[in-house]
Amino acid sequence: MESTEDLVSISVTVNGRRYADQVEPRWLLAYWLRDRLGLTGTHVGCDTSQCGVCTVILNGQAVKSCTILAVQADNGTVLTVEGLAQDGTLHPVQAAFSEAHGLQCGFCTPGAEMLAVALLEENPHPTEAEIREALDGLLCRCTGYQHIVQAVALAAERKGRGA
Amino acid sequence: MIPERFRYHRARSLDEALDLVAQAPGQARILAGGHSLIPLMKLRLAQPQWVIDVEEVAELRGIREEGEVLHIGAMTRYRELMTDPLVARDAPLLALAARRVGDLQVRNRGTVGGALCHADPAADLPAAALASDAELELRSRRGQRRVALGDFLQGPLTTDLKPDEVLVAIHVPRRPGWGVAYQKFPHPASGYAVVGVAAAIAAESGRVARVCLGVTGVGPRAYRAAASEERLVGTGLDPEVLRAASAVVTDGIAVNHDQFASAEYRRHLAATYAERALAAAWAAIQA
Ligand SMILES: Cc1cc2nc3c(=O)[nH]c(=O)nc-3n(C[C@H](O)[C@H](O)[C@H](O)COP(=O)(O)OP(=O)(O)OC[C@H]3O[C@@H](n4cnc5c(N)ncnc54)[C@H](O)[C@@H]3O)c2cc1C
Ligand code: FES
Ligand code: FES
């Protein structure tokens, strides 16, 4: 098995909390979040960089956590779906997904919501085409995307009204 | 899927990165955006003993004007190419191609250096960089050298990069006022180019003064379609000339074929997309 000298120390702020750990360099960020931190909201779908279900926000940008090593996140800031709700209140994007039926089975939803959060952060008033472009890297087997797009639009509209 | 074990080193400077690759030539891989290397390592098609992360190497970053050329650091991400004002002014073709790469998450990570050193024969950036006459700045403990991208790209996933070398930056001639376009037929599943054509045209009194045509997805490596270029210089790009020049865009190329597209279909797509890219680049000058 690996000797301790092969382990690397990392320190990553996840959902506002700092985690220090010793990791094998080959561990992927998705697995570190799920298996070491117990943050299983980040799902692994394809595990081959295609589906975007594992998307988290690393240093402000949406990334596929199955295609990033945990060591690459060292000194970084990660936001996962668990970090969206505050004090039991859903994040506006989550509330909009719930109300606009932006999900069916819910498997892709963490990735979809993180993409939506990243989009609205950068572009608070996206057009429908811009929403679809932002969701290009997400595969949903259920919804046909229509309701996901509507949910993101609803979140944007509310945000615009300062709700 | 978990990669085979490897040792990880985050280089803090170019010197450190060069020392590390020189110590373990052939055993060490540079990690840039990781969006080609990590999938390969997960599939265990790549099993480097050392992975040298260059995320923090300042010498590989930055986009700046250097006289006649634009210096673009190897760690420049697609996302930056798409939004950088100097690129928009002097080398907009690179931004057009970057915009067509993969999806948002891929563009947030993938880099110029990674795309060119990986040399996927269906990657977008190589076509645009060839049509921009990009030159590569390579460094090793042995020194520095410059090489034209057309000489650097040798075959599928094969380049002239030596095991102890690091790509520092690319240099592209600044070409404000040129008309540029990138036309891509993406594979419906992978998103890579079945065919991608990058066109750049400079006009003088209504005639084509210079034209550069870069093609990807079609052959074993991205290439410049010299036969097409020759037929266009000095013309007013009338429809017949355009069609005739586009028809020879695959001349001398061993055209790829796979389950999705036969060689014949690819040849047809290449001619059609060359015609569209040239017409769009020409229209962009007149606009
Ligand atoms: C889902 C998905 C879809 C994609 N779709 C497309 C697409 O449509 N079009 C397209 O063109 N590409 C596509 N890509 C590939 C993407 O563009 C990669 O990011 C790119 O090919 C490699 O860049 P990177 O920075 O990620 O490099 P890495 O993966 O980090 O490195 C790639 C190779 O280059 C070497 N290398 C990197 N930088 C240097 C350097 N400075 N000096 C020396 N060697 C270096 C590495 O050692 C490695 O061998 C896709 C990738 C994914 C995961
Ligand atoms: S699990 Fe990461 S992209 Fe599918
Ligand atoms: S809701 Fe089921 S995969 Fe998207």
mmCIF file of all heavy atoms in Angstrom, chain B residues 146-163:
data_model
loop_
_atom_site.group_PDB
_atom_site.id
_atom_site.type_symbol
_atom_site.label_atom_id
_atom_site.label_comp_id
_atom_site.label_asym_id
_atom_site.label_seq_id
_atom_site.Cartn_x
_atom_site.Cartn_y
_atom_site.Cartn_z
ATOM 1 N N ARG B 146 12.420 28.070 -30.546
ATOM 2 C CA ARG B 146 11.145 28.462 -31.135
ATOM 3 C C ARG B 146 10.846 27.488 -32.249
ATOM 4 O O ARG B 146 11.738 27.145 -33.024
ATOM 5 C CB ARG B 146 11.250 29.863 -31.739
ATOM 6 C CG ARG B 146 11.577 30.954 -30.765
ATOM 7 C CD ARG B 146 10.308 31.426 -30.077
ATOM 8 N NE ARG B 146 10.580 32.592 -29.254
ATOM 9 C CZ ARG B 146 10.096 33.807 -29.521
ATOM 10 N NH1 ARG B 146 9.341 34.017 -30.587
ATOM 11 N NH2 ARG B 146 10.360 34.814 -28.713
ATOM 12 N N VAL B 147 9.606 27.084 -32.361
ATOM 13 C CA VAL B 147 9.239 26.197 -33.457
ATOM 14 C C VAL B 147 7.846 26.582 -33.947
ATOM 15 O O VAL B 147 6.970 26.936 -33.160
ATOM 16 C CB VAL B 147 9.359 24.705 -33.036
ATOM 17 C CG1 VAL B 147 8.647 24.434 -31.742
ATOM 18 C CG2 VAL B 147 8.822 23.765 -34.107
ATOM 19 N N ALA B 148 7.694 26.533 -35.262
ATOM 20 C CA ALA B 148 6.389 26.833 -35.858
ATOM 21 C C ALA B 148 5.427 25.700 -35.506
ATOM 22 O O ALA B 148 5.813 24.527 -35.486
ATOM 23 C CB ALA B 148 6.514 26.968 -37.366
ATOM 24 N N LEU B 149 4.176 26.056 -35.239
ATOM 25 C CA LEU B 149 3.202 25.038 -34.845
ATOM 26 C C LEU B 149 3.081 23.946 -35.901
ATOM 27 O O LEU B 149 2.945 22.766 -35.572
ATOM 28 C CB LEU B 149 1.840 25.691 -34.583
ATOM 29 C CG LEU B 149 0.711 24.738 -34.187
ATOM 30 C CD1 LEU B 149 1.060 23.954 -32.923
ATOM 31 C CD2 LEU B 149 -0.596 25.498 -34.005
ATOM 32 N N GLY B 150 3.168 24.338 -37.186
ATOM 33 C CA GLY B 150 3.063 23.354 -38.261
ATOM 34 C C GLY B 150 4.156 22.289 -38.203
ATOM 35 O O GLY B 150 3.952 21.153 -38.630
ATOM 36 N N ASP B 151 5.330 22.622 -37.671
ATOM 37 C CA ASP B 151 6.407 21.641 -37.515
ATOM 38 C C ASP B 151 6.271 20.876 -36.205
ATOM 39 O O ASP B 151 6.748 19.753 -36.075
ATOM 40 C CB ASP B 151 7.774 22.339 -37.541
ATOM 41 C CG ASP B 151 8.041 23.008 -38.878
ATOM 42 O OD1 ASP B 151 7.570 22.471 -39.900
ATOM 43 O OD2 ASP B 151 8.685 24.073 -38.894
ATOM 44 N N PHE B 152 5.640 21.515 -35.236
ATOM 45 C CA PHE B 152 5.501 20.922 -33.897
ATOM 46 C C PHE B 152 4.510 19.759 -33.914
ATOM 47 O O PHE B 152 4.756 18.701 -33.333
ATOM 48 C CB PHE B 152 5.051 22.012 -32.919
ATOM 49 C CG PHE B 152 4.921 21.574 -31.495
ATOM 50 C CD1 PHE B 152 6.043 21.346 -30.712
ATOM 51 C CD2 PHE B 152 3.665 21.417 -30.911
ATOM 52 C CE1 PHE B 152 5.927 20.963 -29.380
ATOM 53 C CE2 PHE B 152 3.532 21.041 -29.581
ATOM 54 C CZ PHE B 152 4.672 20.808 -28.818
ATOM 55 N N LEU B 153 3.380 19.962 -34.602
ATOM 56 C CA LEU B 153 2.343 18.923 -34.666
ATOM 57 C C LEU B 153 2.803 17.852 -35.637
ATOM 58 O O LEU B 153 3.060 18.138 -36.799
ATOM 59 C CB LEU B 153 1.019 19.519 -35.148
ATOM 60 C CG LEU B 153 0.389 20.611 -34.292
ATOM 61 C CD1 LEU B 153 -0.846 21.177 -34.985
ATOM 62 C CD2 LEU B 153 0.027 20.088 -32.903
ATOM 63 N N GLN B 154 2.912 16.598 -35.164
ATOM 64 C CA GLN B 154 3.466 15.568 -36.045
ATOM 65 C C GLN B 154 2.479 14.470 -36.413
ATOM 66 O O GLN B 154 2.598 13.846 -37.450
ATOM 67 C CB GLN B 154 4.722 14.982 -35.412
ATOM 68 C CG GLN B 154 5.797 16.065 -35.267
ATOM 69 C CD GLN B 154 7.118 15.535 -34.818
ATOM 70 O OE1 GLN B 154 7.176 14.519 -34.123
ATOM 71 N NE2 GLN B 154 8.181 16.217 -35.196
ATOM 72 N N GLY B 155 1.551 14.190 -35.544
ATOM 73 C CA GLY B 155 0.585 13.131 -35.819
ATOM 74 C C GLY B 155 -0.397 13.069 -34.678
ATOM 75 O O GLY B 155 -0.372 13.934 -33.797
ATOM 76 N N PRO B 156 -1.261 12.049 -34.663
ATOM 77 C CA PRO B 156 -2.258 11.972 -33.595
ATOM 78 C C PRO B 156 -1.574 11.882 -32.224
ATOM 79 O O PRO B 156 -0.785 10.974 -31.988
ATOM 80 C CB PRO B 156 -3.025 10.674 -33.893
ATOM 81 C CG PRO B 156 -2.644 10.274 -35.271
ATOM 82 C CD PRO B 156 -1.334 10.915 -35.586
ATOM 83 N N LEU B 157 -1.832 12.827 -31.360
ATOM 84 C CA LEU B 157 -1.256 12.888 -30.007
ATOM 85 C C LEU B 157 0.269 12.852 -30.038
ATOM 86 O O LEU B 157 0.902 12.392 -29.096
ATOM 87 C CB LEU B 157 -1.790 11.756 -29.118
ATOM 88 C CG LEU B 157 -3.309 11.531 -29.096
ATOM 89 C CD1 LEU B 157 -3.668 10.494 -28.035
ATOM 90 C CD2 LEU B 157 -4.074 12.822 -28.828
ATOM 91 N N THR B 158 0.859 13.304 -31.134
ATOM 92 C CA THR B 158 2.319 13.254 -31.267
ATOM 93 C C THR B 158 2.841 14.620 -31.695
ATOM 94 O O THR B 158 2.390 15.181 -32.689
ATOM 95 C CB THR B 158 2.723 12.220 -32.341
ATOM 96 O OG1 THR B 158 2.045 11.001 -32.057
ATOM 97 C CG2 THR B 158 4.214 11.978 -32.327
ATOM 98 N N THR B 159 3.809 15.113 -30.914
ATOM 99 C CA THR B 159 4.397 16.413 -31.223
ATOM 100 C C THR B 159 5.914 16.323 -31.136
ATOM 101 O O THR B 159 6.469 15.285 -30.773
ATOM 102 C CB THR B 159 3.958 17.500 -30.218
ATOM 103 O OG1 THR B 159 4.562 17.199 -28.953
ATOM 104 C CG2 THR B 159 2.456 17.555 -30.071
ATOM 105 N N ASP B 160 6.535 17.439 -31.415
ATOM 106 C CA ASP B 160 7.985 17.543 -31.329
ATOM 107 C C ASP B 160 8.442 17.943 -29.915
ATOM 108 O O ASP B 160 9.598 18.281 -29.710
ATOM 109 C CB ASP B 160 8.430 18.586 -32.372
ATOM 110 C CG ASP B 160 9.930 18.761 -32.403
ATOM 111 O OD1 ASP B 160 10.643 17.761 -32.218
ATOM 112 O OD2 ASP B 160 10.385 19.906 -32.597
ATOM 113 N N LEU B 161 7.546 17.913 -28.944
ATOM 114 C CA LEU B 161 7.917 18.260 -27.555
ATOM 115 C C LEU B 161 8.903 17.221 -27.023
ATOM 116 O O LEU B 161 8.607 16.029 -27.025
ATOM 117 C CB LEU B 161 6.659 18.287 -26.668
ATOM 118 C CG LEU B 161 6.869 18.729 -25.218
ATOM 119 C CD1 LEU B 161 6.980 20.257 -25.150
ATOM 120 C CD2 LEU B 161 5.730 18.258 -24.327
ATOM 121 N N LYS B 162 10.074 17.678 -26.570
ATOM 122 C CA LYS B 162 11.050 16.751 -26.011
ATOM 123 C C LYS B 162 10.677 16.461 -24.548
ATOM 124 O O LYS B 162 10.038 17.292 -23.894
ATOM 125 C CB LYS B 162 12.451 17.359 -26.081
ATOM 126 C CG LYS B 162 12.864 17.776 -27.497
ATOM 127 C CD LYS B 162 13.077 16.562 -28.409
ATOM 128 C CE LYS B 162 13.601 16.944 -29.784
ATOM 129 N NZ LYS B 162 12.576 17.352 -30.746
ATOM 130 N N PRO B 163 11.077 15.278 -24.044
ATOM 131 C CA PRO B 163 10.625 14.884 -22.698
ATOM 132 C C PRO B 163 11.026 15.878 -21.603
ATOM 133 O O PRO B 163 10.388 15.910 -20.552
ATOM 134 C CB PRO B 163 11.301 13.531 -22.465
ATOM 135 C CG PRO B 163 11.767 13.056 -23.785
ATOM 136 C CD PRO B 163 11.855 14.227 -24.704
#
